[in-house]
């Protein structure tokens, strides 16, 4: 794999960019692999990358029914932060944050990780209690965070409506300066390229239709390109987790629902940070291209159609116009939906299963993008060693039996 | 200066503009004139303005390319200040007097743009170059990003509140017709004549579509005449709603479509009289998609130079606006239909330099017609490169192989100032795609047709690939008839006689033209103009492995502009298909998403902004509170009095005074916001028994009981008192914020799990005003206004309730207490609430009655160790964690919700967080709520957190601070010292104590 750099760019410019190598190839599947990862989104590709890089397991196939990074990786609002409430969750997201901080260099692919800071607004006294509690916990966990007052918030976000007479006035916010955004597609592509360079087979247009087991052990997967054997199979299929689990005769405590997002037409820079409000219920940032990127709430019905209902869009726009009255004349260019896999406690499942060799990494719900590197890292470790990574121990599927839930609804950002 | 002089391209006659209504406008600060009926684009073309914008990446000068929604270049900012609107397409902006527009890019201006210098490095900026660079040193990305952001973006967002308002309307109809061209009008007419309720919407300023610039005759009259007659007939039906300037921008499940109507944008920037725009939310039984087609340009080198336009757009400007946007035209086409443009140009009296036709032997009638007019036709030729910078100066024309893949001879230069380009037409499949229908490639029409319908809709006319007026009318009529029949109406078909239409011969499937150099080395061959995506860029993406059409879109940004790829995407897909050696059908399209054209945020938000963002709820006593100077707190949707400061008091002073008044005399609280659910039915008690942790079967009339509800996970979900009002009749109180959630919870369980139980729930929260009179003097106050209840402590005990009359109003009086003092909660119908409240205040005057708010309520209950669900609980605590084992009945016959979960291993383990009290070592130190608790003063990071402070106050009564907290194993750690490290660096030490600080025996509430 040729390294990317400004020099390689200049060199290739001289030959009119006719000699760039493919970032990855699209091989036919082999008969057998050491590990098969189902799902070629960010989490699946990251898992494959860390399997190869951290554990030397390179005889790996990622099978993807569509195109790489085409699911929620391509549909999210690209927010990255690690200011979760509970120790278990915040440590997992903080691992991710640390990986983000060196990811472009590690992958030699600029994922445009922009640490422009994330504000979570509080609009009631209880919001502010929760914010103080979370920020205190973050600081004691070694995660950056501050509680900001209204004047400080206004300085960071001049266009934010901080009027004390608004319907739900801004009373304060938590501020994580290391939080920010990244270029979502680039994350999938960067992991794909780096994984492929280490020998991982990326097999697109390959839909899994069955999981073959024998004597309680997984032996491979049935796909639209035939049977592919492997003693270990990791499922990283987000909204389709329940569907794939059913192939192995399992039920997961997961509900799949549409989550919508939208962008405005491109504007000159007018919002330099990420602003999230749980109570008024909107979140917004501005992409490097200039689009305002806006997230909506989860549709209240379960389904697999990657589109949602208009009233959710309406409500989100009301929230955005309430928070940013100046954006009322800006126009929505495009809206779309993805299918999010939500757990009852708004935390993921990174776990072995009752079928030996079959692993699940799912339940990231509305906030999986930020976790991509950490999720891949701990899942690869879990698959490689057939036991949970220490940071994933709290996220096994057993917690729904034991009751050791990690309720992150407050910090998850989207009302479930 | 006369109008003729400024509008050098305006024809002396013709067009649909109103020449009696001259309008003045400015563009980039310069004043121009136009006519009513112009768009900003037609007026700019009339005035000979060539450069209207600059491209995104290379800052190339760009001119008006189209006449509609697909315009990529003419992006303008309208107006200034609060009302400014960014990123409008000049082709869709109706001209009005005083309109003020400017380009969104170009510095210092669009004609002389210094940022053009970056294009010298264009070759260093292929698609995705930013993924390959700017990676080091690690910290510098934020620096690079700053400049990348500055260079990106189009217009500017306003910086102050939108002065306009927006509306929303719900509509139902039998047939919604999208598009008012010949097919749509015929469909609407056919359906309307059956009596069906019809809505017909069209994005343009006036109805008519292609008929507005058509040469054909319908039923022996000019198309314009048929149009006028048809519109007049439609207007007569009461059952027909006609919506011009209305974009159907989204198609959702169950035939739900959204229409954005621009009510006043054609008149002025803002509307000071009514809504500026309005959303119609339409539920249609049947939908006819007659939204037309968009012309596809051919892709050749430098095809973005101002003066290169879509052929159909050139015709539109000539026929509809009487503007011929140049002097000498080259028409470059692969099809017959575009020849009409050459004929229109010729008829306008200006020179047609040549028609360059890629086909070797075109035979269609239009070709003959052009030749007969003396137009030079170069068959088997192609325009391969445009000459000129800020305006076309000529074209390099070369002979082309029959399959269009290579050049067969030397190119020669032809002079011209306008190139009309036509590569065929793309049906507008967007709305059909929104439903999930996958567009299908059709070799016949060389375009994507709408996919298989998933809803009650059909596409007709150009939207279905039918381009001649006769067939459009016929299809439209048939679809209107069918849609009306599907709605239960009876309909008759109409046939139209169309004359003067020229049949079109076969077109050639041709997208990217060869150049003397390979694609990678040729001058830019633009595909997506706005984002500077070139044919070479698409081929590069494919070379680098980005072979899915979605990858190409995302890697090159093709289709991400404000036109959403309407102009260029199909060309891009064709170029990708060729590069990958596959068919266009195999390559497929990207997914089309709403909005069809961009929709104003404010329009989508409608009226629900500002104070209407979420309805505020007030109790019946609100005005009294305001007059008493209360400060308010938001609790859910409610505005609740927070505290009642007297002159000179801050919150601490006021709360201290209010607390002492309650403990020593008597206080009064407006508790009307507590949720109240009236529960009736023979199984009401059984139902309560199942949803509460404690027993309800034996609760007798006249008695109240405090209960806790758990979620299925065993965690506390809500709490409150339920009173037995009579046989099979109960009143449940919930928390203020939890009321709606609790009612939902009850209904969910009743409707889905226990439908056999006969029980009914009604929210009565707003029906009652609740005045809590509490304190040692409470009985004396009540006695003054109530004579028909025996208030004696033995007759009316704690946790009893009584019917009675309070100051003349029928009331329910509850002896329940959230302060730990003798308390009476007086409930009266809300209409009498203010009256009774005032009578209680009057009666209490001699006892020092003091109104208090939520803050004092919080302090008083914390002194007693009473929890507030949502503050001291967070969805992760059981009743046992809250030291409330007494509220959990283990003897009930039927399991209660959450019971099973309480037995799970994690719920029964030791060291769960438990509710305790904290006393700071310094009694004046008030712990901040949300402070985390650790075991050591200087705990290293990461620190092992033991829990957190949930409630914390200064207690005036106890003359010290008190706090409630959840602490790991806390109930076994009373007397231990713990520490709260704060963000400001302070560490506050505190002792773990009982959570009950005041009157632990409960004597005071029991008197």
């Amino acid at each position: 794999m040729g390294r990317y750099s400004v020099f390689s760019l200049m060199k290739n410019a001289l030959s009119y960019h006719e000699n760039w190598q493919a970032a990855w190839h699209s091989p036919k599947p082999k008969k057998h692999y050491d590990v098969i990862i189902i799902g070629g989104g960010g989490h699946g590709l990251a898992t494959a990358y860390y399997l190869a890089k951290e554990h030397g397991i390179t005889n790996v196939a990622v099978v993807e029914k569509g195109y790489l990074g085409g699911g929620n990786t391509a549909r999210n609002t690209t927010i990255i932060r690690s200011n979760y409430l509970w120790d278990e969750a915040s440590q997992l997201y903080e691992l991710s944050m640390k990986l983000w901080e060196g990811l472009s260099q590690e992958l030699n692919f600029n994922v445009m990780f922009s640490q422009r800071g994330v504000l979570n607004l509080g609009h009631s006294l209880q919001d502010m209690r929760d914010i103080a509690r979370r920020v205190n916990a973050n600081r004691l966990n070694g995660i950056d965070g501050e509680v900001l007052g209204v004047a400080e918030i206004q300085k960071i976000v001049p266009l934010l409506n901080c009027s004390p007479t608004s319907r739900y006035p801004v009373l304060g916010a938590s501020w994580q300066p290391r939080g920010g955004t990244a270029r979502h597609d680039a994350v999938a592509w960067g992991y794909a390229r780096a994984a492929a360079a280490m020998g991982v087979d990326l097999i697109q247009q390959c839909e899994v239709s069955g999981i073959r087991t024998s004597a309680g052990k997984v032996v491979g997967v049935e796909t639209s390109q035939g049977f592919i054997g492997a003693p270990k199979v990791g499922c990283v299929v987000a909204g389709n987790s329940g569907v794939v689990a059913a192939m192995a005769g399992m039920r997961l405590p997961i509900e799949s629902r549409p989550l919508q997002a939208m962008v405005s037409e491109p504007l000159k820079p007018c919002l330099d940070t990420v602003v999230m409000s749980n109570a008024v219920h909107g979140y917004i940032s501005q992409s490097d291209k200039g689009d305002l990127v806006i997230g909506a709430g989860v549709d209240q019905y379960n389904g697999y159609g990657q589109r949602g209902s208009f009233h959710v869009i309406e409500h989100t726009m009301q929230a955005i116009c309430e928070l940013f009255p100046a954006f009322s004349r800006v126009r929505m260019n495009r809206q779309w939906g993805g299918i999010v896999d939500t757990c009852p406690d708004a935390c993921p499942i990174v776990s072995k299963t009752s079928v030996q060799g079959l692993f699940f990494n799912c339940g990231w719900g509305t906030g999986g993008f930020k976790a991509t590197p950490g999720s891949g890292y701990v899942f690869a470790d879990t698959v490689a060693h057939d036991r949970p990574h220490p940071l994933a121990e709290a996220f096994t599927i057993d917690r729904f039996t034991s009751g050791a839930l990690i309720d992150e609804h407050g910090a998850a950002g989207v009302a479930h | 200066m006369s109008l003729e002089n400024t509008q050098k391209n305006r024809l002396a006659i013709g067009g649909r503009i109103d020449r009696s209504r001259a309008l003045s406008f400015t563009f980039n600060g310069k004043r121009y004139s136009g006519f009513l009926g112009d768009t900003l684009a037609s007026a700019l073309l009339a005035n000979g303005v060539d450069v209207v914008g600059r491209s995104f990446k290379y800052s190339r000068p760009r001119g008006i390319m189209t006449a509609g929604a697909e315009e990529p270049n003419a992006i303008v900012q309208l107006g200034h200040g609060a009302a400014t609107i960014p990123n409008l397409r000049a082709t869709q902006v109706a001209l009005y007097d005083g309109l003020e527009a400017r380009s969104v890019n170009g510095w210092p201006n669009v004609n002389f743009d210094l940022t053009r210098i970056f294009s010298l490095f264009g070759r260093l900026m292929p698609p995705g170059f930013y993924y390959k660079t700017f990676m080091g040193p690690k910290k510098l990305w934020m620096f690079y990003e700053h400049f990348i952001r500055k260079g990106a973006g189009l217009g500017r967002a306003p910086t102050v509140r939108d002065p306009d308002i927006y509306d929303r309307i719900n509509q139902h109809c039998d047939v919604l017709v999208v598009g008012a061209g010949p097919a749509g009008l015929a469909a609407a007419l056919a359906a309307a004549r059956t009596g069906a309720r019809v809505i017909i919407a069209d994005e343009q300023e006036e109805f008519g579509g292609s008929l507005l610039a058509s040469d054909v005759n319908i039923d022996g009259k000019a198309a314009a005449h048929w149009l006028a007659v048809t519109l007049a007939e439609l207007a007569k039906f009461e059952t027909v709603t006609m919506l011009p300037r209305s974009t159907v921008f989204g198609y959702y499940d169950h035939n739900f479509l959204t229409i954005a109507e621009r009510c006043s944008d054609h008149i002025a920037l803002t509307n000071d009289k009514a809504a500026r725009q309005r959303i119609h939310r339409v539920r249609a039984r049947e939908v006819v998609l007659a939204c037309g087609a968009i012309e596809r340009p051919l892709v050749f080198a430098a095809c973005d130079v101002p003066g290169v336009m879509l052929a159909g757009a050139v015709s539109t400007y000539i026929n509809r606006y009487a503007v011929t946007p140049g002097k000498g035209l080259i028409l470059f086409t692969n099809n017959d239909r575009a020849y009409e443009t050459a004929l229109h140009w010729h008829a306008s009296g200006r020179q047609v330099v040549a028609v360059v036709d890629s086909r070797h032997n075109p035979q269609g009638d239009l070709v003959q017609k052009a030749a007969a007019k003396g137009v030079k036709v170069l068959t088997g030729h192609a325009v391969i490169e445009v000459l000129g910078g800020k305006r076309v100066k000529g074209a390099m024309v070369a002979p082309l192989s029959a399959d269009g893949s290579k050049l067969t001879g030397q190119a020669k230069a032809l002079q011209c100032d306008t190139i009309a380009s036509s590569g065929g037409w793309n049906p507008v499949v967007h709305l059909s795609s929104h439903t999930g229908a996958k567009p299908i490639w059709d070799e016949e029409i060389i375009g994507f047709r709408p996919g298989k319908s998933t809803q009650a809709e059909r596409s007709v006319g150009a939207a279905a690939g039918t381009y001649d007026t006769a067939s459009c009318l016929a299809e439209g009529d048939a679809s209107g008839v069918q849609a009306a029949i599907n709605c239960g109406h009876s309909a008759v078909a109409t046939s139209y006689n169309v004359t003067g239409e020229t049949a079109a011969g076969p077109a050639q499937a041709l997208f990217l033209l060869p150049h003397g150099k390979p694609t990678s080395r040729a001058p830019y061959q633009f595909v997506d103009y706005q984002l500077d995506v070139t044919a070479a860029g698409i081929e590069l993406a494919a070379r680098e492995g980005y072979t899915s059409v979605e990858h190409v879109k995302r890697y090159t940004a093709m289709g991400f502009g404000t036109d959403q790829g309407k102009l260029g995407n199909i060309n891009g897909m064709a170029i990708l298909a060729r590069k990958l050696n596959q068919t266009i059908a195999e390559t497929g399209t990207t997914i089309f998403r709403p909005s069809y054209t961009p929709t104003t945020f404010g329009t989508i938000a409608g009226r629900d902004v500002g104070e209407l963002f979420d309805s505020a709820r007030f109790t019946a006593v609100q005005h009294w509170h305001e007059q008493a100077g209360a400060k308010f707190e938001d609790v859910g949707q409610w505005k609740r009095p927070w505290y009642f400061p007297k002159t000179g008091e801050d919150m601490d002073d006021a709360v201290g005074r209010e607390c002492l008044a309650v403990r020593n005399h008597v206080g009064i609280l407006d508790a009307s916001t507590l949720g109240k659910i009236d529960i009736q039915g023979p199984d009401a008690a059984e139902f309560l028994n199942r949803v509460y942790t404690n027993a309800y079967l034996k609760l007798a009339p006249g008695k109240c009981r405090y209960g806790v509800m758990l979620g299925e996970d065993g965690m506390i979900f809500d709490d409150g008192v339920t009173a037995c009002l009579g046989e099979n009749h109960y009143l449940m109180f919930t928390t203020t914020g939890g009321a709606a959630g609790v009612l939902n919870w009850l209904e969910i369980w009743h409707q889905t799990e226990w439908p056999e139980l006969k029980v009914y729930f009604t929210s009565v929260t707003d029906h009652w005003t609740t005045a809590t009179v509490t304190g040692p003097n409470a009985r004396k106050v009540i006695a003054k206004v109530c004579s028909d209840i025996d208030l004696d402590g033995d007759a009316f005990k704690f946790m009893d309730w009584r019917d009675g009359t309070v100051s003349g109003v029928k009331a329910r009086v509850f002896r329940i207490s959230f302060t730990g003092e003798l308390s009476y909660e007086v409930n009266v119908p809300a209409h009498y609430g203010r009256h009774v409240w005032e009578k209680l205040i009057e009666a209490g005057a001699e006892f020092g009655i003091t109104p208090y708010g939520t803050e004092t309520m919080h302090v008083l209950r914390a002194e007693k160790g009473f929890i507030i669900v949502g503050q001291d609980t967070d969805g992760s605590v059981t009743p046992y964690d809250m030291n409330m084992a007494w509220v959990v009945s283990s003897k009930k016959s039927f399991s209660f919700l959450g019971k099973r979960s309480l037995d799970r291993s994690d719920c029964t383990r030791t060291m769960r967080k438990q509710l305790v009290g904290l006393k700071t070592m310094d009694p004046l130190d008030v712990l901040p709520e949300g402070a985390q608790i650790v075991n050591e003063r200087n705990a290293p990071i990461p620190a092992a957190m033991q829990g957190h402070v949930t409630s914390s106050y200064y207690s005036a009564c106890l003359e010290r601070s008190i706090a409630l907290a959840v602490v790991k194993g806390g109930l076994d750690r009373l007397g231990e010292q713990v520490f709260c490290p704060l963000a400001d660096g302070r560490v506050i030490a505190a002792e773990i104590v009982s959570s009950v600080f005041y009157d632990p025996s409960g004597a005071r509430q029991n008197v």
Side-chain angles (χ1 to χ4, degrees), chain A residues 84-102:
Chain A
Y84 278 65
L85 174 62
W86 299 96
D87 296 349
E88 297 87 347
S90 63
Q91 282 162 8
L92 183 53
Y93 287 102
E94 179 63 13
L95 165 71
S96 217
M97 177 69 86
K98 293 210 170 84
L99 292 169
W100 278 115
E101 286 175 326

Side-chain angles (χ1 to χ4, degrees), chain B residues 7 52 108 134 168 196 221 237 245 250 259 306 491 545 656 666 684-685 699 709 718 741 751 797 905 911 927 948 984:
Chain B
Q7 299 181 37
V52 295
F134 304 121
R168 173 188 308 145
K221 297 273 171 53
F237 291 105
R245 302 185 190 92
I259 307 176
V666 63
L699 187 66
M709 282 182 207
D718 205 74
Q751 291 180 27
K797 293 198 181 84
S905 60
M911 291 306 278
L927 285 165
H948 74 282
D984 61 11

Side-chain angles (χ1 to χ4, degrees), chain A residues 211 218 231 233-235 248 250 351-353 355-360:
Chain A
I211 292 176
V218 75
V233 173
C235 305
M250 286 190 290
S351 189
K352 296 169 64 173
T353 66
V355 178
Q356 196 183 326
L358 183 63
F359 301 82
F360 266 89

Side-chain angles (χ1 to χ4, degrees), chain B residues 24 123 132 314 340 357 366 498 643 668 687 870 901 905 919:
Chain B
S24 165
R123 220 203 285 172
K132 296 169 176 160
V314 171
E340 286 180 354
D357 193 326
L366 281 162
V498 176
Y643 56 98
I668 183 166
F687 192 91
S901 293
S905 60
K919 278 186 178 170

Side-chain angles (χ1 to χ4, degrees), chain A residues 224-236:
Chain A
S224 54
Q225 297 189 28
F227 175 77
I228 313 174
K232 287 182 175 178
V233 173
C235 305
V236 200

Side-chain angles (χ1 to χ4, degrees), chain B residues 530-590:
Chain B
Q530 193 176 91
L531 293 170
D532 281 338
V533 178
T534 63
I538 292 165
E539 292 193 356
L540 172 63
R543 186 177 304 129
E544 293 198 85
Y546 299 90
T547 50
S548 153
V549 64
E550 285 285 354
H551 280 157
V552 171
K553 168 187 163 187
R554 290 159 181 278
Y555 194 63
T556 64
M558 176 179 85
F560 270 108
T562 58
D563 68 314
Q564 293 278 290
K566 291 187 183 72
L567 191 69
N569 265 18
I570 306 299
N571 280 330
M573 289 157 199
I575 291 165
L576 175 67
R578 194 186 69 171
K579 177 74 185 170
L580 296 176
N581 261 328
Q582 60 191 24
T583 64
I584 296 174
E586 286 162 343
T587 307
T589 65
T590 53

